[in-house]
Amino acid sequence: ANLNRHIAGTERKTKNLSHLVIVESPAKAKTIEKYLGKDYSVVASVGHIRDLPKSKLGVDVDNNFEPKYENKKDKAALIKELKKDAKASDIVYLATDPDREGEAISWHLAHVLGISPDAPVRVTFSEITKSGIEAGMSHPRTLDMDLINAQQARRILDRIVGYKLSPFLWKKVKRGLSAGRVQSVAVRLIVDREKEVKEFVPQEYWSIDAKFTAPSSRKVFAAKLSAIDGKKAELANKEQTDEVLKRLENAVY
C-alpha cells in the first residue's frame, strides 16, 4: 500500500527538481522534505530496487562468487519515476538508512540512475529532526564500499545457504524446512555439543585438600595437593588416595 501511494505521488509532469533526495521510507520522505524546503524534492525507494533473482541462484560460485543482480519486477514503475526525477534534477543525493543495508540500497540506486560511486552524494541522517537533517546534508560523502561489501557478503551467503542447503533438507529430512546462514551453524554447534555429551565417559577421580594456619596467624587458608614426587597429582580411586594420605601424616609444610 505504501509503495502504491508513493508511485501515485510521483506520477507528475517532469519539472526541474534542482535537488533530489532519495530515502528508503515514504513516511520519512515527507518529513525530510518539509525540513529541507522548496528547493528539494524527497522521494522514497521503499527499500531495495535491485536484488538477486528469485528463480535461480544468481551467484557465480566459480567466478569469485560474483552476484548477478536484477531490477525488482515489482519496482519497475518506481524505477521509471526515479530515473525521470533524477534526469530532471541538478544533483541527486542518496539518503538511505545509515547502516550496511542502507549503504547497499544507495549503491544499487547509483547503478540504476547512472551516478558514479565516487560522486560525493551519499548523506546520512542520525535523526529525523531539522538539526539532524541539516547536519547530514552538510557532510556529503562517497559510497562506503566496505559497508556495501559487508551487505553483499551477507546477501550472497544467505542465497547460497538457502538455495543449496534447504533443498537438501527437503530431500533428507522434511519438505518445507529452511536453512539460514546463522541458524545452520547454530544447529551444527548444538549437534556437535550433544555428541560430546553422549560420547562422554565418566571417570572417577579424587583430590586431596587441606586447611592450614601459619604459625604467626590464626587465619585459615585452603590448599590443594597439586603434585606427587614432582608429577601432577592424579588419583583414580580411594586406595591410591589413602596411600598418599599416609605419606602426608608426618609431613612438614
Side-chain angles (χ1 to χ4, degrees):
N2 286 338
L3 175 59
N4 290 336
R5 282 201 300 273
H6 172 69
I7 292 172
T10 56
E11 287 177 351
R12 58 188 178 281
K13 289 183 179 180
T14 304
K15 60 181 180 178
N16 190 341
L17 300 173
S18 185
H19 299 85
L20 178 67
V21 180
I22 304 177
V23 298
E24 288 182 49
S25 163
K28 284 183 183 178
K30 292 180 181 178
T31 305
I32 293 169
E33 188 171 73
K34 180 181 69 176
Y35 285 130
L36 288 177
K38 62 180 181 178
D39 291 332
Y40 291 84
S41 178
V42 186
V43 296
S45 69
V46 197
H48 280 276
I49 61 168
R50 284 207 309 164
D51 199 3
L52 299 173
K54 289 184 178 180
S55 58
K56 52 187 176 181
L57 183 63
V59 178
D60 189 346
V61 295
D62 297 320
N63 185 27
N64 200 29
F65 297 93
E66 190 71 26
K68 305 293 182 183
Y69 296 113
E70 60 181 33
N71 293 350
K72 298 183 75 171
K73 291 179 180 178
D74 62 340
K75 295 289 184 73
L78 176 58
I79 291 171
K80 184 179 178 181
E81 291 296 327
L82 289 174
K83 285 182 176 180
K84 190 187 296 183
D85 287 346
K87 190 175 181 179
S89 303
D90 294 331
I91 186 168
V92 178
Y93 291 102
L94 306 173
T96 50
D97 292 352
D99 54 20
R100 67 182 181 187
E101 212 67 36
E103 201 73 16
I105 292 172
S106 280
W107 181 65
H108 287 300
L109 282 165
H111 177 86
V112 169
L113 300 178
I115 300 170
S116 170
D118 298 322
V121 294
R122 174 73 169 116
V123 295
T124 57
F125 306 129
S126 58
E127 55 185 35
I128 308 301
T129 61
K130 186 174 178 59
S131 60
I133 290 162
E134 287 176 350
M137 293 300 296
S138 64
H139 295 92
R141 58 171 174 80
T142 59
L143 289 167
D144 186 337
M145 287 309 301
D146 287 339
L147 269 181
I148 293 163
N149 287 332
Q151 190 276 341
Q152 287 196 96
R154 179 202 65 77
R155 186 70 189 96
I156 291 167
L157 276 172
D158 273 345
R159 176 53 62 94
I160 292 172
V161 173
Y163 275 46
K164 293 291 187 181
L165 194 52
S166 292
F168 177 77
L169 290 178
W170 302 343
K171 191 182 294 184
K172 297 293 184 180
V173 185
K174 183 183 177 183
R175 187 78 185 171
L177 292 175
S178 66
R181 77 183 192 286
V182 176
Q183 71 188 49
S184 300
V185 178
V187 170
R188 173 62 186 267
L189 289 170
I190 293 168
V191 169
D192 286 350
R193 187 62 176 155
E194 183 64 17
K195 281 182 179 178
E196 288 180 16
V197 170
K198 288 183 176 179
E199 292 171 0
F200 176 73
V201 179
Q203 291 181 320
E204 182 180 351
Y205 71 93
W206 290 66
S207 62
I208 295 176
D209 297 270
K211 291 184 178 179
F212 294 94
T213 52
S216 59
S217 172
R218 291 185 179 181
K219 191 175 181 180
V220 176
F221 63 92
K224 183 175 182 177
L225 180 65
S226 62
I228 303 170
D229 297 329
K231 295 181 180 179
K232 183 180 178 181
E234 293 181 345
L235 303 171
N237 50 55
K238 184 178 185 300
E239 291 73 19
Q240 287 183 4
T241 307
D242 286 342
E243 288 180 12
V244 175
L245 284 172
K246 285 182 182 177
R247 293 177 58 186
L248 292 173
E249 282 180 2
N250 298 315
V252 175
Y253 308 97

